[in-house]
Amino acid sequence: EAQVTQNPRYLITVTGKKLTVTCSQNMNHEYMSWYRQDPGLGLRQIYYSMNVEVTDKGDVPEGYKVSRKEKRNFPLILESPSPNQTSLYFCASSLGAERGTEAFFGQGTRLTVV
Amino acid sequence: GNSVTQMEGPVTLSEEAFLTINCTYTATGYPSLFWYVQYPGEGLQLLLKATKADDKGSNKGFEATYRKETTSFHLEKGSVQVSDSAVYFCAFYTGGFKTIFGAGTRLFVKA
């Protein structure tokens, strides 16, 4: 089954404790992206990757890091989480960035930073 | 700059009622337009899309028409069901590896 898998689904952590949210897709997609979803703000792009070893900042990259060492995986790293990073996070992938290309989303990771 | 404005929710309807969720966009260039749906506890999934002016996207009884002159992409369904309760996101893509999403509209359908 074609899917994007994120782990964990839920995470509560303390300020400053490094964490990683994993994302994996089995569709051989080149393009992957991370979003955060906050009430009233919709989805905002954090980082994206066009292919292995190629990543770039989205709209809200501060406090986040990513890596793309393999095509299927695109982990999101919070080196020193803060309470304002409490949010719902989604990983997405697509075949490319061409016009009309559909994005496939993971089920989300609800992160709480206390 | 690029943005999407969609009607605020929540929208509460009775089963079999007519649904309209308004969406307008401000974009540089000529975007592709999408509606995504998010069911409780799940990620977003594509509901329908349109890639050029006057195209109509449709799926599961939902429809939306790409209106370039009014920069709109309103979502409609003639008869909603309880199972349509979800959050609906209007979005567009203009290239540059970025999809712009609206804030989302939550729909509740009562039996």
Side-chain angles (χ1 to χ4, degrees), chain B residues 23-26 33 67-73:
Chain B
C23 170
T24 58
Y25 64 90
T26 301
L33 305 178
R67 300 291 187 199
K68 193 166 188 282
E69 65 279 8
T70 56
T71 62
S72 64
F73 193 52

Side-chain angles (χ1 to χ4, degrees), chain B residues 34-76:
Chain B
F34 304 89
W35 277 100
Y36 283 86
V37 59
Q38 182 181 28
Y39 297 105
E42 298 184 13
L44 280 72
Q45 55 186 273
L46 182 68
L47 180 60
L48 53 84
K49 68 180 182 183
T51 59
K52 61 183 188 295
D54 300 324
D55 269 1
K56 177 185 284 188
S58 62
N59 186 26
K60 300 182 181 180
F62 291 89
E63 292 183 342
T65 301
Y66 192 142
R67 300 291 187 199
K68 193 166 188 282
E69 65 279 8
T70 56
T71 62
S72 64
F73 193 52
H74 305 320
L75 182 68
E76 297 182 334

Side-chain angles (χ1 to χ4, degrees), chain A residues 9-10 31 33 35 37-38 40-45 48 50 58-59 88 90 96-108, chain B residues 30-32 34 36 38 41-46 49-53 66 87 89 93-104:
Chain A
R9 291 289 309 277
Y10 302 92
Y31 175 51
S33 187
Y35 293 88
Q37 181 182 7
D38 300 291
L41 297 177
L43 276 76
R44 294 179 292 168
Q45 191 181 52
Y48 62 91
M50 295 80 84
D59 294 318
L88 179 58
F90 288 101
E98 294 80 16
R99 183 179 188 76
T101 302
E102 172 186 356
F104 292 82
F105 284 81
Q107 289 193 293
Chain B
Y30 189 1
S32 298
F34 304 89
Y36 283 86
Q38 182 181 28
E42 298 184 13
L44 280 72
Q45 55 186 273
L46 182 68
K49 68 180 182 183
T51 59
K52 61 183 188 295
Y66 192 142
V87 181
F89 291 90
Y93 176 75
T94 61
F97 306 100
K98 180 181 290 188
T99 300
I100 308 296
F101 288 87

